[in-house]
Amino acid sequence: MNADPAAQRRLLDLQAVDTTLAQLAHRRRSLPELAEIARLEGRLAALSGDLVRLETEVSDLAREERRLELDVEQVRQRAARDQERLNAGRVGSPKELESLQHEVGSLARRQSDLEDQILELMERREEVQGRLDRLRGEVESIGADRDAAAARRDKVWGEIDGEVALNTRAREAIAPDLPTDLLTLYEKLREQSGGVGAALLRGKRCEGCHLELPPSEMARVRAAPAGQVVRCEQCRRILVRTAESGL
Ligand SMILES: [Zn+2]
């Protein structure tokens, strides 16, 4: 392949811009904030199960409390009716009187039992509610950390995107200077060789693979016309000759 020596040198400018773009893309996806956000979101996901469990427990306890309160109310009403009958003195037989007094006594014990159970449930509900409140506080604080990390990520991403836009414009200004076949070869080599398709020959060294060219290779490169595109025998990249090549 042949290409104007100026176009070959321009390829090094394109390579510099492409290397910068690759570094920016790498920086964009390897920000420490991304790992931090993922870690915090993992913790939030883990805690959301506990949150639901405690919320369910609190509402179950509250429902049980209301059920027992209704029971207390029924017992209280029945005891009041019995007491009214006793007070009115309308009870016929002594046997009936004894049975009614017995019932009033057992209703009072039943009410007291139910009230003890309600107190126990309230204590449990308050304890679980306390755990729920602490967990909600923790979730809120992790959420705030996650939001702060996301804000830092967005700020850096904004800066990176600005640099990407500058370099993309630089690339668009360089690419039209290059012949299509040279550009196609460069793109293909860049894809195959870790993002570097064209390298400067500095002294005897290829700056793509950083190896020195053997004397026979140097002789071949020296002999090649300036308009010929030469490749590194070792890494196959386009080897660009400039004043720094010392030929
Ligand atoms: Zn090389």
Side-chain angles (χ1 to χ4, degrees):
M1 185 186 292
N2 290 309
D4 182 64
Q8 292 187 43
R9 287 194 296 273
R10 199 80 175 114
L11 201 52
L12 290 179
D13 296 337
L14 187 66
Q15 179 65 72
V17 169
D18 281 340
T19 299
T20 302
L21 283 169
Q23 286 163 347
L24 289 169
H26 178 262
R27 203 178 146 217
R28 200 180 198 287
R29 63 175 178 267
S30 57
L31 283 186
E33 279 80 7
L34 295 179
E36 191 184 347
I37 290 167
R39 181 180 63 80
L40 294 171
E41 280 177 351
R43 280 187 68 197
L44 287 175
L47 293 180
S48 77
D50 292 347
L51 210 54
V52 170
R53 193 175 52 74
L54 289 178
E55 279 166 354
T56 306
E57 204 175 329
V58 167
S59 73
D60 286 351
L61 288 168
R63 194 172 45 246
E64 181 65 3
E65 244 175 83
R66 282 194 301 278
R67 195 181 65 74
L68 290 179
E69 276 162 4
L70 287 177
D71 287 354
V72 167
E73 186 52 27
Q74 279 179 348
V75 168
R76 223 174 40 76
Q77 282 173 7
R78 180 145 179 205
R81 273 199 310 276
D82 289 351
Q83 195 60 52
E84 216 174 294
R85 283 180 68 200
L86 285 172
N87 292 348
R90 283 201 305 270
V91 183
S93 66
K95 197 179 170 198
E96 201 187 338
L97 179 66
E98 194 190 336
S99 146
L100 205 52
Q101 280 167 338
H102 180 76
E103 186 175 280
V104 167
S106 61
L107 284 171
R109 280 193 301 280
R110 170 85 180 125
Q111 182 174 344
S112 165
D113 281 354
L114 285 168
E115 283 167 350
D116 286 350
Q117 286 177 45
I118 289 172
L119 274 177
E120 230 172 85
L121 278 175
M122 278 173 67
E123 279 170 16
R124 265 177 62 199
R125 183 167 56 82
E126 277 163 16
E127 188 263 326
V128 177
Q129 181 69 52
R131 273 156 55 204
L132 179 59
D133 291 345
R134 284 193 294 282
L135 185 62
R136 279 180 177 150
E138 194 184 346
V139 164
E140 199 174 309
S141 141
I142 295 170
D145 287 351
R146 190 258 329 264
D147 292 348
R152 289 199 303 280
R153 172 202 62 193
D154 291 347
K155 183 170 178 290
V156 179
W157 271 1
E159 290 162 8
I160 291 174
D161 290 348
E163 287 178 52
V164 167
L166 278 177
N167 282 279
T168 302
R169 280 201 292 279
R171 189 180 208 286
E172 283 162 1
I174 298 169
D177 295 349
L178 301 171
T180 310
D181 56 350
L182 182 64
L183 193 58
T184 305
L185 175 64
Y186 163 76
E187 296 289 12
K188 197 183 92 185
L189 293 171
R190 198 159 69 90
E191 201 172 300
Q192 292 168 355
S193 312
V196 180
L200 170 68
L201 175 67
R202 188 192 295 277
K204 293 177 188 159
R205 195 176 300 274
C206 161
E207 289 207 326
C209 61
H210 304 287
L211 295 173
E212 271 193 13
L213 273 64
S216 60
E217 269 302 299
M218 278 305 290
R220 181 180 66 87
V221 170
R222 256 189 214 102
Q228 189 186 322
V229 175
V230 294
R231 307 267 296 273
C232 171
E233 275 296 301
Q234 292 152 129
C235 69
R236 303 302 300 149
R237 292 182 175 100
I238 298 166
L239 209 46
V240 178
R241 291 160 288 170
T242 72
E244 290 170 89
S245 303
L247 292 171

